[in-house]
Amino acid sequence: MLYVGIDSRHSRGMLPESFRTERLFLRPIAMADAGQIFAAYARNPEVTQFLIWRPQMTRRDIEAYIRSCLETPPHRARTYVLQGRKDSVIRGGLDLRQPDKHRLEFGYVLARAWWGKGLMTEALTEIVRWALSQPSIYRIGAVCDVENIGSARVMEKAGLVREGLLRRYLIHPGMGKEPRDCFSYARVR
Ligand SMILES: CC(C)(COP(=O)(O)OP(=O)(O)OC[C@H]1O[C@@H](n2cnc3c(N)ncnc32)[C@H](O)[C@@H]1OP(=O)(O)O)[C@@H](O)C(=O)NCCC(=O)NCCS
């Protein structure tokens, strides 16, 4: 994979403003993205099945979600949209959180039309490469539903290792009301 650079402001304590990969540009989410996100993936139950989102988000839900992303200080968390470098069309989203100075957590989603093309592996590989090249960061990890084969595979392809089973860990409303078992994945240095 070809990496063509990032715009990193982490040395000033912020998560990066943007990331670039061969096919994608990751930039901070904006309120103006609500329409595209709503149309592209937020109300597709196949996409939201393993997310903490409600299975069918409304346009107002998306606006409230974006507002909460924008209110979070960028040294704690940042939500990016993934857009095509050539067409600027939004393909999905990725959020990066820094609960402690030494570790990052992330989550991601891709519109159904863009699944299976290696896009999330491409994005996550770049995020992980950046994260573990920061002197202060030793760990990047996430959790996924035990049935979310695609997400587990993306993390493995980005070099994360399955390190445990977190029983009854998260509620994924698309899978029912009860908390679900999740796998914990991480890559460390
Ligand atoms: C999970 C998700 C991000 C995968 O993104 P993607 O760009 O389609 O994944 P990639 O194309 O990079 O695929 C990486 C690997 O996973 C496999 N994979 C992807 N989706 C899969 C699926 N649904 N079932 C089985 N394998 C799958 C691919 O075959 C590939 O493996 P391979 O190279 O060995 O063939 C995407 O399916 C998605 O947005 N799902 C809904 C939201 C979600 O579940 N987010 C994660 C919450 S933890």
Side-chain angles (χ1 to χ4, degrees):
M1 197 180 303
L2 178 68
Y3 296 115
V4 287
I6 56 166
D7 168 14
S8 166
R9 302 204 176 152
H10 197 259
S11 55
R12 282 184 252 161
M14 308 275 247
L15 291 163
E17 176 83 16
S18 61
F19 292 91
R20 280 186 186 78
T21 70
E22 192 176 349
R23 292 174 290 176
L24 297 169
F25 180 54
L26 278 66
R27 56 137 179 100
I29 199 167
M31 193 50 80
D33 300 324
Q36 264 199 79
I37 292 172
F38 181 65
Y41 55 86
R43 54 185 169 159
N44 181 341
E46 193 183 359
V47 172
T48 56
Q49 184 178 22
F50 297 119
L51 300 181
I52 55 173
W53 287 7
R54 291 201 292 127
Q56 275 168 311
M57 299 273 274
T58 65
R59 173 81 191 240
R60 282 172 74 107
D61 291 335
I62 292 300
E63 287 166 359
Y65 163 73
I66 295 174
R67 205 169 299 117
S68 74
C69 296
L70 298 176
E71 281 166 3
T72 308
H75 63 279
R76 286 184 171 272
R78 216 160 198 168
T79 302
Y80 305 87
V81 291
L82 280 61
Q83 57 181 44
R85 286 191 55 183
K86 288 194 180 145
D87 60 14
S88 296
V89 171
I90 293 178
R91 285 140 170 70
L94 185 148
D95 72 297
L96 209 48
R97 301 175 295 274
Q98 190 160 20
D100 288 309
K101 195 166 173 256
H102 69 278
R103 68 187 173 95
L104 294 175
E105 295 172 348
F106 61 85
Y108 46 55
V109 59
L110 207 56
R112 183 67 185 89
W114 299 99
W115 288 13
K117 303 176 195 304
L119 285 178
M120 200 53 83
T121 300
E122 182 175 313
L124 183 60
T125 302
E126 171 58 7
I127 301 275
V128 169
R129 186 204 64 74
W130 170 79
L132 297 181
S133 68
Q134 302 307 303
S136 60
I137 296 177
Y138 290 82
R139 173 190 170 93
I140 180 163
V143 300
C144 70
D145 193 286
V146 289
E147 287 186 42
N148 197 348
I149 311 292
S151 183
R153 187 82 190 108
V154 166
M155 290 193 275
E156 283 163 3
K157 291 192 79 170
L160 280 71
V161 172
R162 185 185 295 180
E163 57 183 11
L165 174 67
L166 302 169
R167 292 182 299 159
R168 296 292 198 180
Y169 191 68
L170 283 178
I171 295 175
H172 292 145
M175 297 295 288
K177 289 184 176 155
E178 294 202 346
R180 304 269 308 163
D181 291 354
C182 294
F183 289 127
S184 170
Y185 275 87
R187 183 162 172 176
V188 301
R189 68 169 175 88

